[in-house]
Amino acid sequence: MMKKGPILAMITMLTTMNATAQVYLDPQAPLEQRVEDALSRMPLHEKIKVLHAQSKFTSAGVPRLGIRQLNMDDGPHGVREELEWNTWSPAGWTNDYIVAFPSLTCLAATWNRDLARLYGHSVSEEFAFRGKDIMLGPGVNIQRTPLNGRAFEYMGEDPVLAGEMVVPYIQAAQQNGIACCLKHFVLNDQETDRFAVNVNVSERALREVYLYPFKKAVDEAHVYTIMGSYNLWQGTHCCQNDALLNGILKDEWGWDGAVVSDWGGVTDTHEAATGGMDIEMGTGTDGKIRESEFTYDDYYLGRPFEKLIEEGRLPMSLLDDKVRRVLRTIFRTAMNPRKVIGSQCSEAHYDACRQIGEEGIVLLRNEKGILPLEAADYQHVLVVGENATRSLTLGGGSSELKTLRDISPLEALKDVFGQQMDYAQGYTSGRALYDHVDHVDPAENARLKAEALEKARAADLVIYIGGLNKNHRQDCENGDRESYDLSFGQNELIAELARLQKNIVVVMFGGNPYAMPWLQQVAALVHCWYLGSEAGTALTNVLTGQVNPSGKLPVTFAKRYEDYPYVKYGAEAYPGVGKQVYYREGVFVGYRGFEKDKSQPLFPFGYGLSYTTFKYGKPALTPDADGWTVTVDVTNTGSREGRETVQLYVGEQMPQADNPVKQLKDFVKLSLKPGETRTATMHITKEDLQTWDEQQHRWTLMSDRFRAYVGASSADIRGKVDFSL
């Protein structure tokens, strides 16, 4: 055996010492040891560098130390196409086509936690394959108003439903080494004046409604990153709000992740530095000015922050806390050896897309059992409506997706009806633009309408496929809807089609409720949200009965816009006056407010029909270690296999005036064969019974006598059982 020479021995010794010393590069070392070791090696300038963007969608690592940058991209329905380094222009790649997954409103409508996990797993695999570390999503802002242009990105009006669905989504995604960036924290519930509106909300409503799903994600999913919101709370922008980001999120909740700003959400160096912001993105560099005029180092958390540290006006400990949070994120994602390679446009992902879409579709009306459709029953089928062919993966703002393939409803229906099917567009809505409404020629719409009506005269079945789309002032970031009515003359078109043909099935896409003056004239109504790349297949499978619909509404559909709980409080409640908006309805959001006002909705929260029927037994309640277990037997009394979501609500036996009659606390989805009976098992914890005491600033019990409600929707209660502490 040859002896090592002195030089080789010295190199070996130094290499070994260096490798041993570099704890931060050891993936087997405890996370906090890696973080502290890396932090100890970083001078001031390198610490500052990791706190702000270096391009449109990346923030810097530490190349000298081999610490990788963070690659971010918009979600949560799929990976956004690649953009140029410093502009909003597409990079023009040919390998960034992806699967568009259904909108999060559709996921919420499944009421299926297993599908939420499948969604998070599948979409994160595409992010991983594209080399991303942070997925900007999902979103759990509350659907307070049906006019919110961005509500399709969220999970409905109820915080418990949103919280229960977002936890498995995040867990599955982060298990793959992709950080979820939960957004938008918090109270970003409208797009009107989103950059400047100050939200005034009671402490109780803030805690019980708007913060609830975020806390659920922190406590149970350990979400790695959270995105601050544009709006203000207590007069301070949420991206630099000390009471919110430090006081509640980091100190009270004990969260160790990194706060990422919404793009352009930071407005002041001192407030951002002391207010809890960790990674500043999108400030100033909007592609409209040259990099030489304003560099990424000029961000508020760039040179200006560095100067405050150098001059001793802010302590190094403040900077170090931010850097620790960024390093944790890097080690959990970009430098996580267990991060998956992932895949893109796999058949497994298309299958997941289709399955989520099928279970999220909600059957709202089915007179005389016209659905499911049998091709042999009709000789001349007419499909009417722009959404039968329009791509609904384009537009919408940051959630716009570049897909490899999209199956349209018309394409899938042709496979069923073949030559006996015809198509008429019926209306046109213009291009899907981000910042303004495209002009639509009234004469063209009149021509399209006349063509559809003429063809309907010869049809024995009309399938209307319309609703909302991703245009500005529809379901689109950066602007709210202008009316509760459908746009582009659809209400009039549907009514006239229904007068010509009683066999009319209406299919609607969209992330928000809408008025339905024609409802009693149509035979069936199906609401689809946005179904992604497999939209046509998922819809056709439901319409033809290959899949029994099982979706339930995650939001209340009102008969009139004026029935929504906040509307009676006037413009101050929405969209605000003088950049101030007041949530005067308090905790009475959605179905809670409808019950308080004794207002009958068009379709209640939790509602959805099936092609079969379900009978509920008598619920039973028994104490358990954490609270109470509620059980109820459910029987499929129809002739088709189907799925039923059993919902558990809880309220006081004698509800106080300032408390909702009942609130969702748990749910379970059962799959039942014809004639089969299964037991739904749900839980109530003591924490579920608490309300926020604004005098004591803590959770407390306001009563000791409660009632559990088991139902098929918030308005269809099949059984009640009383209990006390």
PDB file of all heavy atoms in Angstrom, residues 223 315 407-408 722:
ATOM      1  N   VAL A 223     -47.426  24.745   6.596  1.00  0.00           N
ATOM      2  CA  VAL A 223     -47.154  25.365   5.308  1.00  0.00           C
ATOM      3  C   VAL A 223     -45.829  26.122   5.378  1.00  0.00           C
ATOM      4  O   VAL A 223     -45.537  26.811   6.353  1.00  0.00           O
ATOM      5  CB  VAL A 223     -48.326  26.290   4.890  1.00  0.00           C
ATOM      6  CG1 VAL A 223     -48.513  27.449   5.857  1.00  0.00           C
ATOM      7  CG2 VAL A 223     -48.155  26.769   3.463  1.00  0.00           C
ATOM      8  N   PRO A 315     -31.426  46.458  14.098  1.00  0.00           N
ATOM      9  CA  PRO A 315     -30.467  45.472  14.621  1.00  0.00           C
ATOM     10  C   PRO A 315     -30.215  44.319  13.649  1.00  0.00           C
ATOM     11  O   PRO A 315     -31.086  43.940  12.864  1.00  0.00           O
ATOM     12  CB  PRO A 315     -31.151  44.967  15.891  1.00  0.00           C
ATOM     13  CG  PRO A 315     -32.614  45.131  15.622  1.00  0.00           C
ATOM     14  CD  PRO A 315     -32.732  46.382  14.788  1.00  0.00           C
ATOM     15  N   ILE A 407     -59.548  19.346 -23.753  1.00  0.00           N
ATOM     16  CA  ILE A 407     -60.693  18.710 -24.387  1.00  0.00           C
ATOM     17  C   ILE A 407     -61.920  19.570 -24.106  1.00  0.00           C
ATOM     18  O   ILE A 407     -62.337  19.717 -22.953  1.00  0.00           O
ATOM     19  CB  ILE A 407     -60.891  17.282 -23.864  1.00  0.00           C
ATOM     20  CG1 ILE A 407     -59.647  16.444 -24.180  1.00  0.00           C
ATOM     21  CG2 ILE A 407     -62.138  16.648 -24.474  1.00  0.00           C
ATOM     22  CD1 ILE A 407     -59.686  15.050 -23.621  1.00  0.00           C
ATOM     23  N   SER A 408     -62.477  20.156 -25.137  1.00  0.00           N
ATOM     24  CA  SER A 408     -63.626  21.047 -24.973  1.00  0.00           C
ATOM     25  C   SER A 408     -64.904  20.239 -24.791  1.00  0.00           C
ATOM     26  O   SER A 408     -64.990  19.075 -25.209  1.00  0.00           O
ATOM     27  CB  SER A 408     -63.764  21.958 -26.191  1.00  0.00           C
ATOM     28  OG  SER A 408     -64.236  21.219 -27.305  1.00  0.00           O
ATOM     29  N   ASP A 722     -79.129  17.059  20.631  1.00  0.00           N
ATOM     30  CA  ASP A 722     -78.657  18.046  21.600  1.00  0.00           C
ATOM     31  C   ASP A 722     -77.605  17.435  22.511  1.00  0.00           C
ATOM     32  O   ASP A 722     -77.621  16.228  22.800  1.00  0.00           O
ATOM     33  CB  ASP A 722     -79.824  18.560  22.449  1.00  0.00           C
ATOM     34  CG  ASP A 722     -80.786  19.432  21.656  1.00  0.00           C
ATOM     35  OD1 ASP A 722     -80.408  19.846  20.535  1.00  0.00           O
ATOM     36  OD2 ASP A 722     -81.896  19.689  22.143  1.00  0.00           O
TER      37      ASP A 722
END
